[in-house]
Amino acid sequence: MTGRAPTPHDALVERYGTPLYVYDLDEVAAARAELLDALPDGAVLYYALKANPHPDVARTLRGDDGRCRAEISSTGELHAALDAGFDPAHCLYTGPGKTTTEIGHALDLGVRIFSTDSVGDVRRVGRAAAARRVTAACVLRVNAVNTDTGGATTGIRMTGRPSQFGFDAESLPDALPELRRVEGVRLTGLHFFPLSNAKDEENLVAEFRHTVAAAVRLADDLDLPLELLDLGGGFAAPYGTPGTRDSYPALRGELEAMLDAALPRWRTGSPVIAFESGRYLTACAGTLLLGVTNVKTGRGRTHVILDGGINVFGGMSGLGRLLPTHVEPAATTAPAAAPTAPARLVGPLCTPGDVLSRDLPVPALRDDDVVTVPNTGAYGPTASLLAFLGRPAPAEVALRGPDIVSATRIDYRRVPLEAADAPDSAGAPVPAGRTAEEPTP
């Protein structure tokens, strides 16, 4: 390649083609260790499988110490968690739209902890549990009120406004008498998720301090049992842009001090303190490689047409909320330090909405070049428009060091409902699988 040295990705592109996701499992393990080190001893970390349910990624995050558990929001994610070896009894089943059928399926597989968002949600859990003569633990998710003394001012705010997520804090007192009458459930704690991707450690600490105070106040005022307190997340990592995940050298000490003051028995597990993360644990472990199929210039604009767009990287860009702002030459004829010019990066789909980046400075790319999008280990294939136009799913390769652990492709074939691999008697949908064979270009 003129003007550049070969990279480790060149051989993978040659073997598997593009679009191609590459996951560095050593980086996944490093993110897990770093985040657990930043949290108090004994705290539980829930991995949100929505970020990346790839079995090797999930298995790496599970570990062997019991500190990382699975947070799931569907039966498909539940099956992915079980395939990765997570204990169903320790899974946290979340989401505002759980159906009685899927709750029943989760109970049949051993799930016992549900985060609930409304009176109707608790009732559905209760009906399914009572029908099976078991008791489900219900953690009440709270949509807390933001105040001027509240926490972080940046990131994606998840509470304090009308939302499908959680009980509004001010309405919880009126709902409690009915919640306590629901058969088949036991109220066991509180769940907060006020913020995603906090700006910095100071903001994150402030948000946790606000959340702990709100939790203690609610538990005391309403005489709520507090066996599990899930404080949510907010841990920051880049997405589709250069950079590294944030570090939190002071977070552990700050959290231990505030918990000692507010919940003096937390160190003995009363309550169990939990946190959640998805993007922080996986984003920096992924790289997306895309092939250039065409470069079109006209009417004052250059379009670089790639072989993957929002069908392979649509977690945020497809919603128009966040566009990747950086690509780097990979296997390209352009030197890495070549002059750049603005271009619009678009995908192959027959829709004008298939845009990955606008006015992005790129080198002079040519047909058959390959570009990389960094930090794409979260919200990749399973957060994209995979089935639109029926294009093949991207290949996914998991590496540990230089070794290939797996090379797979998601298979989203349509199957008859009467087929053996259709939904079972409990109505669980067939989870998206990854083919065992190495995909070919």
Side-chain angles (χ1 to χ4, degrees), residues 49-142:
L49 264 80
K50 65 178 68 68
N52 189 337
H54 189 285
D56 292 314
V57 171
R59 196 173 295 116
T60 301
L61 287 169
R62 187 203 74 210
D64 298 317
D65 56 10
R67 291 195 65 189
C68 190
R69 303 173 182 179
E71 184 262 305
I72 53 177
S73 298
S74 69
T75 50
E77 287 186 351
L78 169 57
H79 283 278
L82 297 181
D83 288 345
F86 285 98
D87 182 351
H90 289 156
C91 289
L92 177 64
Y93 204 117
T94 69
K98 298 181 287 291
T99 68
T100 303
T101 298
E102 68 184 83
I103 293 167
H105 184 65
L107 289 166
D108 290 341
L109 291 177
V111 176
R112 290 295 181 269
I113 309 172
F114 295 83
S115 173
T116 50
D117 296 81
S118 64
V119 172
D121 201 15
V122 175
R123 285 177 182 156
R124 276 184 289 277
V125 174
R127 279 198 298 270
R132 289 159 176 78
R133 301 179 184 238
V134 299
T135 299
C138 280
V139 180
L140 305 180
R141 179 164 176 172
V142 177

Side-chain angles (χ1 to χ4, degrees), residues 134-296:
V134 299
T135 299
C138 280
V139 180
L140 305 180
R141 179 164 176 172
V142 177
N143 182 11
V145 177
N146 291 332
T147 69
D148 292 339
T149 59
T153 57
T154 59
I156 301 174
R157 171 62 59 182
M158 302 292 287
T159 59
R161 63 190 67 177
S163 171
Q164 70 269 42
F165 299 111
F167 292 85
D168 293 337
E170 64 274 18
S171 67
L172 193 52
D174 292 335
L176 269 177
E178 187 169 359
L179 295 177
R180 288 183 167 122
R181 289 194 295 268
V182 176
E183 183 184 357
V185 304
R186 187 168 61 88
L187 306 184
T188 58
L190 296 172
H191 177 194
F192 296 80
F193 200 99
L195 187 74
S196 177
N197 215 44
K199 174 186 176 183
D200 52 34
E201 187 173 45
E202 181 180 356
N203 278 265
L204 188 62
V205 168
E207 193 64 49
F208 282 135
R209 183 173 290 111
H210 177 62
T211 301
V212 169
V216 171
R217 184 170 59 251
L218 278 172
D220 288 347
D221 291 349
L222 304 179
D223 192 26
L224 278 170
L226 203 57
E227 299 173 22
L228 173 64
L229 175 56
D230 186 338
L231 297 174
F235 312 107
Y239 176 76
T241 60
T244 59
R245 61 182 181 274
D246 285 10
S247 61
Y248 302 105
L251 180 60
R252 178 172 175 167
E254 293 279 2
L255 284 168
E256 289 178 346
M258 72 178 74
L259 290 169
D260 284 340
L263 296 162
R265 295 192 296 159
W266 74 271
R267 291 182 185 268
T268 58
S270 182
V272 172
I273 303 297
F275 299 87
E276 299 173 40
S277 182
R279 171 163 141 174
Y280 183 91
L281 294 169
T282 59
C284 296
T287 301
L288 172 61
L289 294 104
L290 299 169
V292 177
T293 61
N294 190 16
V295 179
K296 177 179 179 288

